[in-house]
């Protein structure tokens, strides 16, 4: 049977950085307090010309270049995003057009911070069913368009960015070993954008209320994060008869560096085995894991044969994990 893995990774962050001093002025707090409570020094902001599809396309181009693949050869294009260009069509269709990936089936996945893992599962199973082909999985967010600058629970956390991976055939014994996913819709109200959909269409009242901004029950999310991370990580390790000591690198989504490092202490994950990129990006949702993978690959933290564990918890609430045996990026990895 063909093994399927990541042939290339890529990431894109907008040029403008919003530091803590800028945010603190609107929140009427000390910039140092933001750093102490989150570990975030800055987060990126898309400019007026950039939507989620633009960021996604830039990250995708980098992944395709590393993989040595052409967009025209893609069979599947999946975009995980909770900040789409429009409510319809799918942002993936916008990305398809930007890349010239004319033959790719294109659609979105709305699983928030877990979106990349949901997309990875779809891509691997799609390719396995076809027994051929190439897929592109992208996470892209422009959270800045949906933030209330006076909301201390969200304004300091979220940033804009994109990450992408090309999925294709890899040598036997490497690649994506498994992906496990979950959801608990009873907690969907913990973090959401209340208005703008079919339940509460946009009208002057929802605009005055600021209901098109992200709202988050921060205490509920703080409780859910370790619980669901434990679940996601524990299930996949148990399924493979592994322990955390067997994992070379844990690549989580990036709620914030402080939360991740606190969780690492709770779970006995050594800091040198935890990928953290949020200090200069903030939480970039579905883009977090692919962007962190791209950074780890660029920094030489990933070697052929490494066991890599991916994990995320997102709005919905959703969660997921994936186990990968790393292979050298490129069209013909060896």
């Amino acid at each position: 049977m063909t093994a399927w893995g990541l042939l290339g990774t890529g990431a894109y962050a907008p040029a403008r950085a919003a530091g803590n001093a800028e945010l603190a002025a609107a929140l009427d707090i000390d910039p140092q307090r933001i750093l102490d409570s989150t570990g975030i020094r800055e987060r990126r902001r898309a400019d007026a010309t950039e939507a989620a599809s633009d960021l996604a396309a830039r990250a995708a181009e980098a992944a395709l270049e590393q993989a040595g693949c052409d967009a025209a050869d893609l069979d599947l294009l999946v975009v995980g995003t909770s900040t789409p260009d429009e409510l319809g069509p799918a942002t993936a269709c916008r990305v398809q057009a930007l890349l010239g990936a004319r033959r790719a089936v294109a659609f979105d996945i709305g699983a928030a911070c877990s979106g990349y893992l949901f997309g990875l599962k779809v891509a691997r199973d799609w390719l396995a069913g076809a027994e051929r082909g190439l897929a592109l999985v992208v996470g892209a967010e422009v959270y800045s368009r949906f933030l209330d600058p006076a909301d201390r629970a969200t304004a300091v956390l979220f940033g804009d960015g994109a990450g992408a991976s090309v999925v294709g055939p890899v040598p036997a014994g490497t690649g994506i070993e498994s992906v496990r996913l979950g959801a608990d819709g009873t907690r969907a109200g913990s973090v959401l954008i209340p208005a703008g959909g079919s339940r509460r269409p946009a009208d002057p009242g929802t605009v005055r209320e600021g209901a098109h901004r992200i709202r988050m029950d921060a205490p509920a999310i703080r409780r859910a994060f370790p619980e669901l991370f434990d679940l996601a990580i524990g299930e996949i390790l148990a399924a493979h008869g592994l322990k955390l000591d067997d994992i070379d690198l844990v690549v989580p989504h990036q709620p914030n560096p402080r939360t991740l490092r606190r969780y690492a202490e709770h779970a006995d994950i050594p800091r040198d085995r935890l990928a953290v990129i949020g200090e200069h990006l903030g939480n970039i949702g579905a883009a977090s894991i692919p962007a962190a993978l791209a950074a780890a690959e660029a920094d030489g933290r990933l070697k052929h044969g490494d066991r890599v564990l991916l994990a995320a918890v997102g709005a919905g609430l959703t969660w997921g994990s994936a186990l990968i045996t790393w292979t050298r990026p490129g069209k013909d990895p060896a």
Side-chain angles (χ1 to χ4, degrees):
M1 294 178 63
T2 302
W4 305 97
L6 307 188
L7 303 183
T9 62
Y12 174 74
R16 191 175 88 77
N20 289 338
E22 177 183 333
L23 274 63
L27 295 168
D28 192 27
I29 58 177
D30 187 332
Q32 186 64 37
R33 180 178 169 185
I34 299 174
L35 179 61
D36 292 343
S37 63
T38 68
I40 300 171
R41 296 182 180 277
E42 62 184 15
R43 62 291 293 151
R44 299 302 180 93
R45 295 291 187 247
D47 68 34
T49 68
E50 291 179 311
S53 63
D54 300 299
L55 276 57
R58 295 287 291 273
E61 288 165 353
L64 286 163
E65 181 178 1
Q66 187 182 78
C69 299
D70 192 286
D73 297 327
L74 291 172
D75 300 282
L76 178 68
L77 197 170
V78 183
V79 173
T81 185
S82 48
T83 57
D85 287 22
E86 306 101 356
L87 286 177
T91 296
C93 291
R94 299 291 192 189
V95 178
Q96 182 206 48
L98 289 169
L99 295 176
R102 292 178 179 83
R103 83 180 196 190
V105 176
F107 56 88
D108 290 354
I109 289 180
C113 297
S114 308
Y116 172 80
L117 292 177
F118 278 62
L120 198 64
K121 170 70 169 171
V122 169
R124 191 198 67 163
D125 292 356
W126 181 293
L127 294 173
E131 298 183 346
R132 58 171 294 278
L134 290 171
L136 178 68
V137 182
V138 188
E141 306 288 4
V142 184
Y143 281 129
S144 60
R145 306 278 162 75
F146 300 92
L147 291 175
D148 177 352
D151 180 9
R152 293 184 180 184
T154 60
V156 301
L157 295 178
F158 293 98
D160 303 341
S165 303
V166 177
V167 181
V170 294
T174 67
I176 303 163
E177 296 184 47
S178 67
V179 184
R180 299 179 73 90
L181 306 172
D184 179 3
T186 66
R187 293 191 268 185
S190 299
V191 54
L192 76 166
I193 299 173
S198 60
R199 184 168 299 281
R200 294 191 66 191
D203 61 34
T206 62
V207 173
R208 284 193 301 270
E209 184 185 327
H212 305 88
R213 308 294 186 181
I214 298 170
R215 294 288 178 258
M216 183 171 73
D217 181 344
I221 294 300
R222 280 195 294 270
R223 290 191 299 269
F225 180 82
E227 170 203 345
L228 296 178
F229 248 61
D230 280 347
L231 176 62
I233 291 174
E235 280 189 347
I236 202 162
L237 290 176
H240 290 269
L242 299 172
K243 298 180 180 179
L244 273 170
D245 288 345
D246 300 313
I247 302 301
D248 296 289
L249 189 66
V250 177
V251 183
H253 100 268
Q254 308 284 312
N256 65 69
R258 186 172 181 270
T259 294
L260 286 179
R261 289 176 178 134
R262 188 167 58 239
Y263 179 79
E265 292 175 3
H266 153 80
D268 292 325
I269 302 171
R271 284 200 175 193
D272 63 350
R273 294 191 184 186
L274 183 71
V276 180
I277 62 169
E279 185 179 18
H280 297 286
L281 292 173
N283 183 348
I284 52 174
S288 293
I289 288 177
L293 281 171
E297 172 64 30
D299 291 343
R301 296 186 69 183
L302 289 171
K303 303 183 298 296
H304 186 86
D306 277 356
R307 275 276 177 77
V308 184
L309 177 62
L310 316 181
V313 175
L317 291 175
T318 62
W319 61 89
S321 56
L323 185 65
I324 298 175
T325 299
W326 199 253
T327 189
R328 183 178 63 85
K331 192 171 184 180
D332 301 300

